[in-house]
Amino acid sequence: MSIKMSTLRRFIPVALATSMLALAGCATGPYNSGGNGAGYGTSYSGGNGYRNSRSCPSNQCGVVEDVSRVYVSGGNQSHVLGTIIGAVAGAALGNQVGKGDGRKAATVAGAVAGGAVGNEVAKRNSGDVPAYRVVVRLDDGRTATVTQREDPRVRNGDYVQISDGRVYMR
């Protein structure tokens, strides 16, 4: 076993661990999960103890006060794909360099560098996406603001229920 092979054996786990940590940082939950950093979710404010006669069991019902179309960050989903595509392309290019252990090291280095470049390209190309912000005066007097990607198909004055970070007609 040569020095090159032992160095390569130490480098590969470090490169893999670094890549996995970078990809884990890109993971997000589904939108509308109560706030995932992508600008979606539900926020509450106020509350004066007021109780509407049309209350619902979940205490998440109320009257729509405002519906507006907004633009929110597209999230990190495209970053993961960009990282993966970049890593595959970088590994393919790195595999064309050198022979033997040098080729293996170049393949790993190409995958790591390609992943980083692919992630950055995806980050720069991901733009804002349209969503809907719905302000609801809840039965208990609080105000809830829900931002969701799908059109809620509600208007001011509609009685709605908030469930799983989304607005539904009641």
Side-chain angles (χ1 to χ4, degrees):
M1 178 184 293
S2 70
I3 297 269
K4 290 181 185 178
M5 189 57 142
S6 65
T7 303
L8 182 62
R9 285 193 177 147
R10 281 184 268 163
F11 177 73
I12 289 175
V14 172
L16 287 173
T18 304
S19 299
M20 292 173 78
L21 286 173
L23 288 174
C26 295
T28 61
Y31 59 87
N32 301 328
S33 63
N36 64 7
Y40 300 109
T42 307
S43 64
Y44 298 92
S45 65
N48 60 5
Y50 168 78
R51 194 90 176 142
N52 188 319
S53 61
R54 297 186 287 186
S55 66
C56 64
S58 69
N59 198 26
Q60 296 293 306
C61 294
V63 177
V64 175
E65 290 189 338
D66 185 51
V67 179
S68 56
R69 189 167 183 174
V70 295
Y71 291 88
V72 295
S73 171
N76 291 328
Q77 299 301 340
S78 64
H79 302 271
V80 174
L81 185 59
T83 303
I84 292 169
I85 291 171
V88 170
L93 289 174
N95 194 40
Q96 302 300 315
V97 178
K99 295 180 181 178
D101 290 342
R103 176 175 282 179
K104 292 176 187 175
T107 301
V108 171
V112 172
V117 170
N119 185 32
E120 194 60 37
V121 169
K123 222 186 288 187
R124 290 184 182 169
N125 289 324
S126 66
D128 292 341
V129 295
Y132 295 88
R133 182 163 293 143
V134 183
V135 179
V136 179
R137 174 64 62 182
L138 296 173
D139 292 341
D140 64 3
R142 294 179 300 154
T143 300
T145 303
V146 178
T147 305
Q148 66 187 51
R149 182 177 263 170
E150 296 86 15
D151 183 352
R153 301 194 187 281
V154 297
R155 299 180 297 188
N156 292 1
D158 285 347
Y159 193 70
V160 297
Q161 180 174 0
I162 299 171
S163 178
D164 295 326
R166 295 177 56 181
V167 175
Y168 299 96
M169 284 293 293
R170 177 106 168 125

